[in-house]
């Protein structure tokens, strides 16, 4: 039985395929301490409405904040970027690694009074597989069946061993109440937009689009000190942009910002004794991804030229005040063991990019300084101040290479919808969290990925072969080398241009609330279920 808290995900200490059990020992004991009770309301700012209340298929960041507080996961990532228990106490592998076994806590309760049991986990997984829901569907590809032999045991039977299976599914898969969801029919069409039943520290009480989402406390949540959160309600308030949200925090209209504070704006909080900035590391990274269905972007030379037309060092200096690390391949250096250090980032070389495009047959026939017919849109989430600035600088540097780019940054949910439907040329975005490199590669590059984040819309027999071969490799040293090889292929093909890994800063009113437990990445940040359950009013 191995303690998961010693497996430092952020340091790249990969979880090797262990045929013996892996204990999940949690430092926090819910029997210790007591909740403050009372009627404290924690008000959190966001710039985005909830787009989908169904946790089995939602991919939006704001959706995740709210749904994470309602629906438990088997595992979570703690403040040290290590896997920690949530609904599951421990997991183990049997049958040579082809069966993953989770042992559950017995003290989680749905807000309608029914206990959370193994059948809920089984139903959630089977529904995701049946309807190919969300990014978890890809992580369940090799599951042949799910078994719940008793109320606190779940067994996932796999067609082949897959080293990071338990951690990937455990962290990403929401568990929903079977007795509520099974009557909904086709869960790919189930909105779950009223009469919410959850088992997290909070459950939605009301939703007013464009204004606010109010969550009430679940009085039976075992991971909160004393068995329930000290905060009675959590209210998400919608603001048109980050600057307006920052003003709301300074004025006391909200108590914290759910989104990170842009690096360039952090100094505006200096001198405010009430506001505290918490620095949090990243498990994701910023990138440019190229739509392979575009006739120009389908060409390796064009993708490489674009990678040479990005002045990433200038972006890091200007947008992030130098507080970021440049990347070369698609695996973040935070996973040091898997990072292929033989690779070098594409150097900023506008002249070289122009020469490469000329060699590929592109011409500037009218002498306007741009290659004829090569005009590409760059899509981003306009609420992400850093990425909108990245797009601006990318457009300017690409001009030097004769490449005309259009700014197509839009409202976040529109951006997500267009990205999912492939209605874009270049995607400039920031992945919030990858909990292991293998799941990342499968989610982003596998042709058969049934609902993940293959935003390239890549269909490559070579990549499929390399990914599937690595995924079934249980010898750890060989596994690592195969990941590094895939890293090199993605880099050489320039399927994406990795930009940087940054640190995030989250702002909150420390004169009113304390006890937040931040998790790495802007996706999770300060508003995980566990964090909200630990928060308490000051005084």
């Amino acid at each position: 039985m191995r303690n998961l808290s010693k497996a430092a995900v952020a340091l790249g200490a990969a979880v090797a395929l262990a045929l013996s059990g892996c204990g999940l020992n949690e430092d926090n004991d819910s029997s210790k301490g007591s909740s403050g009770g009372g009627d404290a309301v924690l008000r959190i700012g966001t710039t985005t409405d909830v787009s989908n209340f169904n946790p089995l298929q939602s991919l939006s960041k704001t959706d995740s904040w709210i749904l994470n507080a309602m629906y438990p996961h088997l595992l979570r990532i703690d403040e040290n970027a290590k896997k920690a228990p949530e609904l599951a106490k421990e997991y183990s592998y049997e049958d040579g690694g082809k069966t993953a076994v989770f042992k559950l806590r017995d003290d989680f309760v749905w807000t309608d009074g029914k206990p959370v049991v193994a059948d809920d986990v089984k139903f959630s997984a089977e529904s995701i597989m049946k309807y190919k829901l969300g990014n978890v569907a890809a992580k369940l590809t090799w599951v042949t069946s799910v078994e719940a032999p008793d109320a606190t045991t779940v067994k996932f039977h796999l067609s082949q061993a897959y080293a990071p299976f338990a951690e990937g599914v455990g962290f990403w898969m929401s568990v929903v109440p079977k007795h509520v969801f099974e009557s909904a029919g086709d869960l790919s069409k189930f909105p779950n937009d009223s009469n919410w039943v959850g088992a997290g520290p909070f459950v939605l009480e009301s939703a007013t689009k464009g204004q606010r989402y109010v969550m009430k406390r679940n009085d039976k949540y075992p991971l909160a000190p004393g068995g329930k959160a000290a905060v009675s309600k959590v209210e998400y308030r919608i603001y048109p942009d980050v600057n307006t949200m920052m003003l709301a925090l300074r004025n006391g209209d909200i108590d914290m910002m759910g989104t990170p504070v842009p690096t360039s704006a952090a100094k505006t909080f200096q001198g405010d004794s009430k506001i505290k900035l918490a620095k949090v590391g990243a498990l994701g990274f910023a990138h440019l991804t190229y739509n392979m269905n575009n006739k120009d972007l389908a060409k390796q030379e064009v993708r490489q030229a674009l990678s040479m037309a990005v002045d990433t060092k200038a972006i890091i200096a200007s947008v992030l005040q130098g507080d970021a690390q440049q990347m070369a391949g698609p695996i973040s250096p935070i996973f040091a063991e898997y990072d292929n250090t033989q690779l070098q980032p594409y150097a900023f070389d506008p002249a070289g990019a122009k020469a490469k495009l000329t060699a590929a047959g592109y011409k500037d026939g009218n002498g306007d300084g741009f290659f004829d017919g090569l005009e590409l849109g760059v899509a981003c989430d306009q609420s992400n101040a850093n990425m909108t600035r990245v797009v601006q600088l990318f457009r300017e540097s690409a001009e030097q290479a004769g490449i005309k780019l259009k700014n197509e940054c839009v409202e976040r949910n529109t951006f997500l919808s267009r990205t999912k439907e492939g209605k874009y040329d270049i995607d400039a975005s920031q992945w919030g969290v990858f909990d292991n490199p293998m799941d990342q590669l499968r989610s982003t590059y596998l042709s058969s990925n049934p609902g993940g984040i293959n935003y390239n819309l890549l269909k490559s027999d070579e990549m499929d072969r390399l990914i599937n071969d690595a995924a079934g490799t249980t010898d750890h040293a060989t596994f690592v080398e195969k990941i590094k090889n895939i890293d090199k292929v993605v880099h050489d093909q320039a399927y994406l241009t990795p930009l940087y890994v940054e640190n995030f800063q989250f702002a909150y009113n420390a004169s009113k609330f304390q006890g937040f437990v931040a998790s790495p990445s802007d996706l999770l940040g300060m508003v995980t279920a566990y964090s909200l359950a630990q928060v308490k009013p000051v005084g």
Side-chain angles (χ1 to χ4, degrees):
M1 191 79 52
R2 185 161 56 88
N3 189 326
L4 249 285
S5 67
K6 295 180 181 179
V9 176
L11 298 178
V15 181
L17 182 62
L19 302 184
S20 60
C22 298
L24 292 164
N25 298 322
E26 178 61 64
D27 291 334
N28 176 65
D29 184 345
S30 63
S31 65
K32 295 178 181 179
S34 61
S35 69
D39 298 318
V41 178
L42 174 65
R43 300 161 300 171
I44 303 173
T46 178
T47 59
T48 311
D49 273 293
V50 173
S51 61
N52 192 334
F53 292 99
N54 186 335
L56 299 183
Q57 59 180 331
S58 175
L59 291 174
S60 171
K61 182 189 300 183
T62 302
D63 296 3
S64 297
W65 297 347
I66 291 177
L67 298 176
N68 181 268
M70 295 171 64
Y71 301 100
H73 292 221
L74 293 166
L75 309 176
R76 65 181 182 88
I77 287 181
D78 69 12
E79 61 273 25
N80 298 311
K82 302 173 184 177
K83 289 291 170 53
E86 193 171 324
L87 178 58
K89 295 190 297 183
E90 62 189 44
Y91 76 78
S92 61
Y93 286 102
E94 299 175 348
D95 304 326
K98 293 176 65 176
T99 298
V101 183
F102 287 94
K103 297 297 291 185
L104 311 182
R105 297 178 65 121
D106 62 3
D107 51 0
F108 270 73
V109 180
W110 298 111
T111 48
D112 62 2
K114 296 182 181 296
V116 181
V117 293
D119 273 338
D120 293 315
V121 180
K122 179 177 184 292
F123 171 80
S124 301
E126 290 177 340
S127 297
I128 291 170
M129 291 188 291
K130 179 179 179 179
Y131 297 107
K132 294 180 172 56
L133 302 175
N135 66 338
V136 179
K139 304 180 189 302
L140 295 170
T141 300
W142 288 312
V143 174
T144 57
S145 64
V146 186
E147 181 185 358
D150 58 58
T152 58
T153 305
V154 183
K155 295 187 176 184
F156 290 86
H157 298 286
L158 313 178
S159 60
Q160 66 182 69
Y162 180 54
F165 173 82
E167 289 211 351
V169 170
F171 171 68
W172 285 102
M173 189 179 76
S174 297
V175 178
V176 301
K178 176 183 177 182
H179 63 282
V180 174
F181 277 60
E182 67 179 344
S183 61
D186 184 347
L187 291 185
S188 68
K189 300 177 182 178
F190 179 44
N192 189 40
D193 54 2
S194 62
N195 301 317
W196 296 282
V197 175
F202 297 91
V203 64
L204 263 174
E205 181 178 59
S206 65
T208 307
K209 188 173 182 179
Q211 297 184 38
R212 69 192 69 214
Y213 297 81
V214 180
M215 308 189 78
K216 62 182 179 180
R217 178 172 56 204
N218 174 6
D219 286 336
K220 294 182 179 179
Y221 184 68
L223 298 185
K228 66 178 181 180
V231 173
S232 64
K233 288 189 177 183
V234 172
E235 178 183 317
Y236 286 89
R237 294 188 177 183
I238 312 299
Y239 291 90
D241 53 60
V242 174
N243 289 332
T244 307
M245 192 199 314
M246 291 172 61
L247 181 61
L249 178 61
R250 284 197 296 268
N251 292 343
D253 297 326
I254 57 174
D255 306 305
M256 72 173 296
M257 294 174 58
T259 54
V261 179
T263 304
S264 59
K267 61 183 179 182
T268 64
F269 289 117
Q270 292 178 357
D272 191 328
S273 60
K274 302 188 303 297
I275 307 302
K276 181 176 181 179
L277 290 173
K279 182 170 285 193
V280 181
L283 291 179
F285 58 91
H287 60 93
L288 302 170
T289 295
Y290 307 113
N291 188 336
M292 297 292 288
N293 287 344
N294 179 289
K295 63 180 179 60
D296 295 305
L297 295 173
K299 301 174 184 178
Q300 180 185 16
E301 300 91 339
V302 174
R303 300 192 303 271
Q304 290 177 333
L306 284 162
S307 297
M308 296 162 66
V310 183
D311 192 349
T312 305
K313 290 183 179 178
I315 287 173
I316 292 174
S318 174
V319 178
L320 301 165
Q321 310 299 305
D323 193 14
Q325 180 177 355
Q326 186 174 5
M327 292 177 60
I331 303 300
S332 170
I334 204 167
F335 297 106
E337 186 177 18
Y338 298 93
D339 183 27
N340 190 337
T341 56
Q342 300 299 313
L343 304 178
Q344 294 296 318
Y346 283 89
F348 177 55
D349 183 5
K354 186 175 288 188
K356 186 177 287 289
L357 290 172
T358 300
Y362 289 90
K363 300 178 180 179
D364 178 12
N366 59 13
D368 67 351
F370 294 102
F371 287 103
D372 301 337
L374 187 61
E375 183 174 353
L376 302 164
V378 186
C380 83
D381 167 15
Q382 66 183 13
S383 70
N384 187 323
N386 285 347
M387 292 312 300
T388 55
R389 179 64 175 149
V390 166
V391 171
Q392 179 184 341
L393 294 175
F394 181 27
R395 289 178 64 204
E396 294 171 1
S397 63
E399 285 184 9
Q400 301 177 47
I403 304 171
K404 181 178 288 187
L405 301 178
K406 298 177 294 182
N407 186 327
E408 295 183 348
C409 295
V410 292
E411 181 272 334
R412 179 171 177 78
N413 286 334
T414 302
F415 166 70
L416 292 172
S417 175
R418 290 180 182 176
T419 303
K420 186 175 182 180
E421 295 171 7
K423 296 180 179 178
Y424 70 96
D425 298 326
I426 302 173
D427 169 354
S429 60
Q430 191 158 312
W431 279 318
V433 58
F434 288 115
D435 67 306
N436 68 75
M438 187 71 257
D439 276 352
Q440 172 191 335
L441 293 172
R442 293 190 70 244
S443 291
T444 50
Y445 297 113
L446 196 65
S447 300
S448 60
N449 187 345
I453 49 179
N454 182 353
Y455 293 160
N456 283 107
L457 304 179
L458 177 66
K459 294 182 179 179
S460 165
D461 291 339
E462 178 193 22
M463 285 295 288
D464 289 352
R465 178 182 59 79
L466 292 172
I467 290 170
N468 287 327
D469 177 57
T473 302
T474 57
D475 178 76
H476 185 64
T478 304
F479 177 73
V480 170
E481 288 307 308
K482 289 182 177 180
I483 294 295
K484 288 184 176 181
N485 181 51
I486 297 172
D487 201 358
K488 183 177 187 304
V489 172
V490 173
H491 173 270
D492 293 348
Q493 286 291 330
Y495 288 135
L496 89 167
T497 303
L499 297 176
Y500 53 78
V501 178
E502 68 170 306
N503 290 319
F504 302 109
Q505 295 190 84
F506 292 88
Y508 66 97
N509 190 332
S511 71
K512 294 184 63 178
F513 292 97
Q514 61 185 5
F516 293 96
V517 180
S519 292
S521 89
D522 70 325
L523 172 64
L524 299 171
M526 304 279 278
V527 294
T528 65
Y530 186 81
S531 178
L532 295 178
Q534 313 309 309
V535 175
K536 57 186 178 181
V538 172

